[in-house]
Each structure stands twice: as C-alpha cells, then as structure tokens.
Amino acid sequence: FLYPKIELLLKSEVAGDPSETGKITGMLLESLDHGELVHLLESPAELKSRVEEAIHVLREHMAATAAHH
C-alpha cells in the first residue's frame, strides 16, 4: 500500500526520482514501526514529510559515497 503512494509523491509533489521509489519505501519500512506506518497511510501530509526527509538522507548518503570515491 505504501509503494504506490510514495511513487505518486515522487512523480508529482516532491523533488524525487520515481526510480528511487523502492529505496525510499525500504528506508521507511526499516525505520518505522507498524503504528507509524499505519499513520503514514492515513496522513498524506505526514507521508510527504517523511518521504522528503528520506530523499534528503539518501542524497546526503549518495554525495558522501561519491566524495569518497
């Protein structure tokens, strides 16, 4: 249920790349408990905020990885 919502956000509302949907979904699934995930499904604004946060973390990680190579 989460994947299509994240994919739609990446395509339309946040500065993300839809090809990263799986990675972003995985990051959220790993970092949140069941109750938080249910809340995200019920709260589009909170989901958008968490996706934006995950994109930021992913970009920082990618930049740090690129800087070390």
Side-chain angles (χ1 to χ4, degrees), residues 16-68:
D17 179 350
S19 70
E20 296 173 336
T21 303
K23 187 173 290 285
I24 300 290
T25 303
M27 290 171 70
L28 292 177
L29 290 173
E30 287 181 9
S31 65
L32 302 174
D33 66 30
H34 182 75
E36 290 172 309
L37 291 170
V38 170
H39 176 69
L40 288 185
L41 291 172
E42 297 171 347
S43 172
E46 182 66 22
L47 177 60
K48 181 178 177 184
S49 174
R50 293 291 186 131
V51 168
E52 289 172 337
E53 182 180 334
I55 290 169
H56 179 73
V57 169
L58 183 60
R59 296 282 182 266
E60 284 185 340
H61 174 74
M62 291 170 65
T65 302
H68 292 315

Side-chain angles (χ1 to χ4, degrees), residues 5-16 18 48:
K5 292 178 181 280
I6 292 173
E7 184 176 40
L8 183 61
L9 277 172
L10 291 176
K11 286 181 178 177
S12 62
E13 295 190 35
V14 298
K48 181 178 177 184

